[in-house]
């Protein structure tokens, strides 16, 4: 032992043991179940057997989250840093044998792939995807889509997760080619201040496999297919749209493949009873922000009360609390009457409007009431219910007057703003 | 809501104290909301999504980050309906424009702490909203704060205004100003918080924003410019052009036939260890980059200088040597090709009109053919009719020209260069 050491009494191995104990204490962290949307989204996508791509700044805990996930799902984790590999590591190394003309040239897979296949299950983590050269990315296409490495085929128990740094922080990164980007569910990985604080304090959130409700499976599939097909029927342009602007390159974009992935995710989220937040991350990460938000809006509409049911039982109508959804519901009721107008349905619609007036803000009722009044046919008497909508008429008139005064005031160029 | 800029606000607050017994006049409030929704139909979804909460602690009207709207009964009593309509639009604008989230981000980035800074954020946010929120059927509420009051130019963003003024004598009257945590991110004592009833989740807020943005993008005709810009960028915030240009040039320079990629032309460094296996090797072919610069009068020297430096830096980063980067200044006629290594002093001759076709011809016709052509221009030029035999990246200097709109195609780029070029807009207003 050198003479200048301040601990002359202990020997070096003992010091290392102490260090080891200290490290063990530091490693000793626990987990707690904690609602964590991005972790749930990741777990759900992994459960749905879709390749996930985590986008996040370096050092944000992507690898740590993956380690956690593998531990909780009890899957062995294999990490492959894509950027330090050569294309042949993914497409297989051609090995020239004795008689290539007779036996062909086998493409030998790398050892990690062999081990993964032998284990039959595992979590394959492709790190640093965005800094891999184009030829390596091309080789990865086959791995991600067809699950093939050389002559090996990854068993179905293997799940694939990749990670990439956003273009801004990867100083010399390549961008992801659109075909590769289209095969992934893109999740933005950000750090939640509270989660990090709690984790550094020794307790990390725990990822659990979403509990799929076995009884809801057929309904989940039906729901998912109806939602996507319903949207794409009215918006055919959304079926396939290559990213055309610079800002959206390398990210999610809609194609029949990614819509198919969306159906799978919707069904899984429905069967697992996941929140809208989680669903939003997954859907926007699969088909992109715009189409994803349109799908979510369509889902919102699907969740509104059925106009026919409201017309059947106006007195017991359970209208949404939120103003914009409530107005959409009332518009739906009026549209249903317009589609198949008859006296009793018209009366029932008035009753629904009265019900809306009694349980919520009156200004929402004005437009549906005006539209409904215009649907009246000559031989229909004005129903009693209209009496109770007198307040709505007064409100509408008050707004009219207010608009007139405002018009008079803003007509003056000085007060007209711009 | 912004405060009156004169002392009558304080008098108003005292009057409100005297009226404490009065209940909230919901009919008046909702008539005002109806007025607002009629004159700003594209905001109707957002207006109706707000949940109203009566509160006597709020000076006027305030919003929180969960889309609740706190209303003072006294304020409703003393304010005419048509002004209340303006207040509704003002408050919902704070939420749609995500002022609380942006306020938090700015506070983190610039290290702004304390209630004084949050007041400044509220003022800056009010300036962003009020410069084009009123008029066309909507009365500017009494004393609404405008950028002009602070001596600032209209049409800028909260982040920009925040740099341009300090709290001082001019803002003395504004300490009353309080649009709630929805405007500046600072929790108030009246806030019901995330667990309170009727709040909107982040996803629901996004859905409302999306519907409003769609409404504006679909019918942009009469919408004020500020809202149009918001709708355009609501879900696609502009990225810094340096990164985009870098990614475009890097991708163009590294494609097949140029740059760093695998090749079987030379044995791999792993070959010695694996006899019998045929391996590709990593090989670098430095890309030749030719920068065509539009030197017509419409592009400023500053813009050109910064963009040129950027391209040179990227070309170096992808492995190009400086003698592989050449520059063609071009106005109506392309002059001479300069190698970049001949020093910084490339004479950017020109002025007047532009015809980039001569620039392309020059770039392709001189010496070894470039792998990548980077064009820096403001786009007011003729383009070659056919795709040139190399990758093309266009750095387009942003100009505020009357842009056309298309309802079905959110990817629509006005007056765009040809489709075979990758286009990066340089110096667009929101890009910081």
């Amino acid at each position: 032992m050198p003479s200048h050491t301040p601990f002359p009494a202990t020997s070096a191995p003992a010091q290392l043991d102490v260090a080891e104990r200290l490290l063990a204490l530091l490693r000793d962290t626990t987990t707690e179940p904690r609602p964590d949307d991005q972790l749930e989204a990741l777990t759900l996508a992994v459960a749905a057997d879709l390749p996930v791509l985590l986008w996040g700044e370096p050092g944000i805990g992507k690898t740590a989250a993956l380690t956690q996930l593998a531990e909780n799902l009890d899957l062995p984790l294999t990490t492959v840093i894509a950027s330090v590999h050569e294309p042949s590591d993914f497409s297989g190394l051609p090995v020239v044998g004795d008689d290539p003309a007779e036996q062909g040239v086998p493409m030998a897979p790398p050892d990690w792939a062999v081990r993964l296949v032998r284990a039959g299950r595992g979590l394959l983590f492709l790190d640093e995807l965005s800094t891999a050269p184009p030829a390596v990315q091309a080789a990865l296409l086959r791995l991600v889509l067809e699950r093939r490495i050389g002559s090996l085929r990854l068993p179905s128990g293997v799940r694939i997760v990749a990670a990439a740094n956003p273009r801004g922080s990867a100083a010399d990164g390549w961008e992801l080619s659109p075909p590769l980007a289209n095969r992934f569910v893109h999740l933005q990985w950000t750090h939640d201040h509270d989660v990090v604080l709690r984790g550094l304090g020794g307790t990390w959130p725990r990822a659990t496999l979403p509990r799929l409700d076995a009884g809801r499976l057929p309904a989940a599939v039906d729901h998912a297919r109806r939602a996507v097909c319903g949207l794409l029927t009215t918006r055919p342009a959304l079926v396939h749209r290559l990213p055309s602007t610079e800002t959206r390159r390398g990210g999610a974009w809609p194609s029949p493949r990614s819509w198919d992935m969306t159906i799978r995710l919707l069904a899984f989220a429905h069967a697992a009873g996941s929140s809208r937040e989680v669903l939003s991350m997954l859907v926007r990460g699969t088909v992109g922000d715009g189409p994803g938000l349109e799908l979510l809006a369509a889902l919102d509409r699907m969740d509104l009360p059925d106009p026919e049911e409201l017309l059947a039982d106006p007195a017991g109508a359970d209208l949404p609390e939120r103003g914009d959804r409530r107005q959409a519901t009332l518009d739906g009721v009026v549209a249903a009457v317009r589609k198949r107008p008859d006296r009793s349905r018209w009366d029932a619609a008035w009753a629904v409007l009265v019900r809306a007036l009694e349980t919520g803000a009156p200004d929402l009722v004005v437009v549906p009431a005006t539209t409904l009044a215009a649907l009246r046919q000559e031989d229909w008497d004005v129903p009693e219910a209209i009496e109770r909508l007198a307040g709505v008429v007064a409100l509408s008139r008050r707004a009219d007057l207010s608009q007139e005064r405002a018009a008079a005031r803003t007509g003056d160029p000085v007060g007209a703003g711009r | 809501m912004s405060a009156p800029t004169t002392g009558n606000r304080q008098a108003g607050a005292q009057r409100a104290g005297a009226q404490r017994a009065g209940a909230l006049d919901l009919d008046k409030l909702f008539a005002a909301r109806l007025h607002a929704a009629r004159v700003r139909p594209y905001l109707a979804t957002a207006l109706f999504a707000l949940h109203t909460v009566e509160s006597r602690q709020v000076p006027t009207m305030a919003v929180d980050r969960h889309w609740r709207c706190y209303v003072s009964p006294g304020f409703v009593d003393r304010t005419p309906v048509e002004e209340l309509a303006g207040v509704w639009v003002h408050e919902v604008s704070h939420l749609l424009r995500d002022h609380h989230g942006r306020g938090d981000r700015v506070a983190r980035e610039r290290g702004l702490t304390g209630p004084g800074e949050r007041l400044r954020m509220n003022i800056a946010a009010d300036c962003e909203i009020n410069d084009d929120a009123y008029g066309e059927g909507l009365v500017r509420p009494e004393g609404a704060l405008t950028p002009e009051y602070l001596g600032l130019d209209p049409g800028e963003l909260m982040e920009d205004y925040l740099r341009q003024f300090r709290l001082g004598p001019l803002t003395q009257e504004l300490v009353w100003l309080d649009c709630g945590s929805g405007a500046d991110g600072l929790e108030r004592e009246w806030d019901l918080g995330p667990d309170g009833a009727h709040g909107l989740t982040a996803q629901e807020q996004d859905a409302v924003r999306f519907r409003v943005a769609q409404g504006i993008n679909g019918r942009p005709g009469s919408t004020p410019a500020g809202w149009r810009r918001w709708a355009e960028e609501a879900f696609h915030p502009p990225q810094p052009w340096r990164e985009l240009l870098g990614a475009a040039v890097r991708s163009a320079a590294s494609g097949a036939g140029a740059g760093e990629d695998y090749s079987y032309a030379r044995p791999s460094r792993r070959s010695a260890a694996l006899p019998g296996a045929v391996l590709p090797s990593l090989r670098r072919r430095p890309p030749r980059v030719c920068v065509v610069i539009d030197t017509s009068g419409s592009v400023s020297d500053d813009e050109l200088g910064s963009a040129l430096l950027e391209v040179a830096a990227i070309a170096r980063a992808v492995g190009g040597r400086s003698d592989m980067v050449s520059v063609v200044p071009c106005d109506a006629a392309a002059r001479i090709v300069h190698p970049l290594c001949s020093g910084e002093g490339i004479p950017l001759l020109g002025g007047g009109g532009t015809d980039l076709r001569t620039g392309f011809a020059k770039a392709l016709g001189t010496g070894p053919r470039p792998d990548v052509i980077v064009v820096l221009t403001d786009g007011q030029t003729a383009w070659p009719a056919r795709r040139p035999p190399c990758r093309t990246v266009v750095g387009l200097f942003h100009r505020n020209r009357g842009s056309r709109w298309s309802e079905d195609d959110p990817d629509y780029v006005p007056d765009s260069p040809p489709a075979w070029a990758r286009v990066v807009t340089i110096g667009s207003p929101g890009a910081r």
Side-chain angles (χ1 to χ4, degrees), chain A residues 99-367:
Chain A
D99 192 356
E102 197 58 39
Q103 296 168 356
V105 177
M107 304 293 272
D111 68 326
W112 55 264
V114 175
R115 266 183 310 205
L116 210 51
V117 171
R118 204 170 289 153
R121 51 202 290 280
L123 192 60
L124 175 58
F125 179 36
L126 304 168
D127 205 355
E128 303 279 352
L129 193 66
S130 53
T131 40
V136 175
Q137 286 193 18
L140 279 170
L141 270 184
R142 193 143 174 270
L143 166 59
V144 172
L145 183 75
E146 296 173 30
R147 312 174 66 100
R148 279 189 175 282
I149 306 171
S151 50
L152 277 186
R153 190 180 169 83
L154 290 180
S156 60
V158 174
R159 305 291 152 97
I160 300 171
V161 179
N165 298 327
R167 276 195 286 190
S169 54
D172 50 354
W174 314 89
E175 65 183 13
L176 228 52
S177 64
L180 189 55
N182 194 235
R183 284 167 166 82
F184 281 107
V185 178
H186 299 251
L187 290 181
Q188 302 296 326
W189 208 255
T190 52
H191 75 275
D192 177 347
H193 185 72
D194 293 341
V195 170
V196 169
L197 274 191
R198 190 109 177 93
L200 293 176
T203 312
W204 291 100
R206 184 187 316 147
T208 44
L209 251 186
R211 191 176 301 279
L212 299 172
D213 183 348
R216 283 167 87 174
L217 300 187
V221 173
D222 174 61
H223 176 263
R225 290 196 173 140
R226 220 156 25 96
V228 170
C229 296
L231 175 70
L232 296 184
T233 310
T234 50
R235 299 274 286 122
L238 290 182
V239 173
H240 189 271
R241 198 164 69 197
L242 262 167
S244 59
T245 55
E246 276 304 314
T247 39
R248 276 182 249 173
R249 264 172 206 269
W253 54 278
S255 75
R257 174 178 27 228
S258 50
W259 282 116
D260 187 48
M261 288 160 62
T262 308
I263 290 183
R264 205 192 286 195
L265 289 169
L266 276 178
F268 265 78
H270 194 260
S274 298
S275 71
R276 259 311 150 77
E277 308 292 314
V278 172
L279 190 60
S280 165
M281 279 185 206
L282 289 170
V283 168
R284 288 163 73 171
T286 309
V287 289
D289 272 344
L293 284 160
E294 287 206 36
L295 178 66
L296 291 164
L299 282 173
D300 273 342
R301 279 197 299 277
M302 278 172 71
D303 288 349
L304 291 179
D306 182 5
E308 295 300 335
E309 276 172 30
L310 294 177
L311 287 173
D313 178 19
D318 189 14
L319 295 165
E321 193 68 42
R322 234 174 75 198
D324 55 330
R325 306 194 67 213
R326 173 173 284 232
Q327 196 180 32
T329 310
L330 297 179
D331 284 344
V333 168
V334 175
V337 173
R338 184 206 303 269
K339 215 182 205 171
R340 205 150 52 77
D342 76 38
R343 178 66 206 270
S344 63
R345 289 163 66 81
W346 192 63
D347 285 349
W350 283 114
V352 174
L353 292 189
V354 169
R355 173 100 186 134
L357 186 65
E358 283 165 354
T359 56
D363 51 339
L364 306 171
V365 185
V366 173
V367 175

Side-chain angles (χ1 to χ4, degrees), chain B residues 184-202:
Chain B
D184 55 19
L186 183 71
E187 295 285 319
R188 304 297 203 279
E189 69 260 34
W190 60 73
D191 279 0
L192 296 180
D195 304 325
H198 305 302
L200 263 61
T201 64

